[in-house]
Amino acid sequence: MLVLGKKTEKEEQDRLKELAKKKQQPVQEELQKNETTDFLEGELPKENGNPEGVVCWGDEFLGGEEALNYSYKSVLQRILRENGYSLSVQDKTLEGAGTLSMMTMAGVPGEQVQQFVEKHQIAAAGAELGVTETEIRELTPEQMARTDVNCIPIIFMGYYGGWNHDPVELAEQQQKILDTFSNQERFLIIGTAPFDGSVDVAGMDTVLRERWREHYISTAEVCSAPISTYEAQEQLAQVIFHKLVEFNYIQREG
């Protein structure tokens, strides 16, 4: 069972429900919006040499000032600068949102997102589903804007659900987002168990590592504390930085 640090599982469930009431809407409504976005499959900018930056896609585990100072993406930006890299780190994360919201924000065609929703409903066979399994976040125009397609994606999603507790489906959704980038050779995938402990961590890591090979990072293996802690966020950022250097994804300028 996953340990949630200061938060109990019930508290986290209650927080998700409140976020859903305030910030989420039926999936069909958001899919209609998505049909009018500027992003069209097959019209991605061509690769033009060095990446324009690094972009963190997926889950946010901290809020407000905490995220600005202690989230892995903020720590990664600091590490890059301290080591002489001028690349910026873009933020495409959402707190409390599921993977359906991530795909929608990435511009994945609405009918493809809806297929996952229908699959979840069929599998539930009438049982109640978590909000992130059928609904998506109400997204702002700023969130829907894509200025990151020439960046190196760090895709870290799944903590809040949206993938029917199936690591194979999660990998499929990760691929959907990766497909929206101009360079699909340079990327990292981060995996962590969902907040409700519904999936075995070792089994999940096995599936995702088999799919993503050397591109995969397991928080269970690189973090000594729950992922929602400052310590784990710092450790994760350090591992990401070393992977970017090891794979020669980034270079110092000058």
Side-chain angles (χ1 to χ4, degrees):
M1 180 63 69
L2 182 67
V3 178
L4 296 176
K6 295 181 180 179
K7 299 176 182 176
T8 66
E9 181 178 325
K10 183 178 184 304
E11 288 171 339
E12 187 72 358
Q13 286 276 17
D14 291 342
R15 187 174 72 87
L16 278 178
K17 290 179 181 178
E18 287 303 312
L19 281 171
K21 291 177 183 177
K22 296 177 181 179
K23 299 182 179 179
Q24 298 195 186
Q25 59 186 13
V27 66
Q28 287 287 3
E29 182 178 343
E30 188 62 33
L31 294 179
Q32 291 173 0
K33 291 183 182 179
N34 196 37
E35 291 174 355
T36 64
T37 59
D38 292 334
F39 173 78
L40 294 175
E41 192 173 22
E43 296 186 359
L44 297 172
K46 295 182 180 179
E47 181 183 355
N48 57 359
N50 289 331
E52 294 178 357
V54 176
V55 59
C56 296
W57 265 90
D59 298 323
E60 175 57 77
F61 302 90
L62 306 174
E65 291 296 322
E66 281 189 313
L68 291 175
N69 294 306
Y70 301 106
S71 71
Y72 80 94
K73 58 185 182 290
S74 299
V75 176
L76 178 60
Q77 182 70 83
R78 187 197 75 217
I79 294 172
L80 287 168
R81 289 174 178 169
E82 289 175 350
N83 285 273
Y85 295 89
S86 59
L87 292 173
S88 63
V89 177
Q90 292 196 44
D91 179 7
K92 295 293 286 186
T93 61
L94 297 171
E95 183 185 7
T99 54
L100 301 176
S101 298
M102 309 303 176
M103 288 189 291
T104 300
M105 186 167 67
V108 174
E111 62 271 17
Q112 295 184 20
V113 179
Q114 179 62 23
Q115 287 173 2
F116 287 109
V117 174
E118 293 172 355
K119 180 180 177 181
H120 299 171
Q121 292 171 331
I122 292 171
E128 183 178 359
L129 286 166
V131 292
T132 57
E133 298 299 322
T134 57
E135 300 178 12
I136 61 175
R137 178 70 54 84
E138 182 177 1
L139 299 163
T140 66
E142 291 77 14
Q143 290 171 323
M144 290 295 298
R146 293 299 304 273
T147 60
D148 62 305
V149 293
N150 290 320
C151 294
I152 299 170
I154 312 296
I155 302 175
F156 184 11
M157 66 184 196
Y159 182 76
Y160 297 105
W163 42 283
N164 204 31
H165 316 289
D166 180 1
V168 174
E169 180 176 312
L170 177 58
E172 183 181 353
Q173 294 181 359
Q174 291 164 337
Q175 182 70 59
K176 295 286 188 187
I177 291 180
L178 180 60
D179 287 345
T180 68
F181 286 86
S182 61
N183 187 326
Q184 296 164 27
E185 301 297 324
R186 294 183 292 187
F187 65 93
L188 294 174
I189 303 290
I190 317 297
T192 197
F195 75 89
D196 59 4
S198 58
V199 176
D200 174 69
V201 179
M204 177 178 177
D205 283 342
T206 297
V207 171
L208 294 180
R209 180 170 288 106
E210 181 177 351
R211 175 65 181 83
W212 300 115
R213 304 295 181 179
E214 69 274 10
H215 298 277
Y216 184 65
I217 299 171
S218 166
T219 62
E221 296 175 355
V222 304
C223 299
S224 60
I227 192 59
S228 58
T229 64
Y230 298 167
E231 179 182 1
Q233 296 281 306
E234 173 83 29
Q235 291 170 338
L236 179 59
Q238 291 284 354
V239 171
I240 291 173
F241 171 72
H242 288 297
K243 283 281 190 181
L244 293 173
V245 174
E246 175 188 351
F247 293 164
N248 200 32
Y249 286 173
I250 59 176
Q251 299 82 35
R252 294 186 182 90
E253 294 183 3

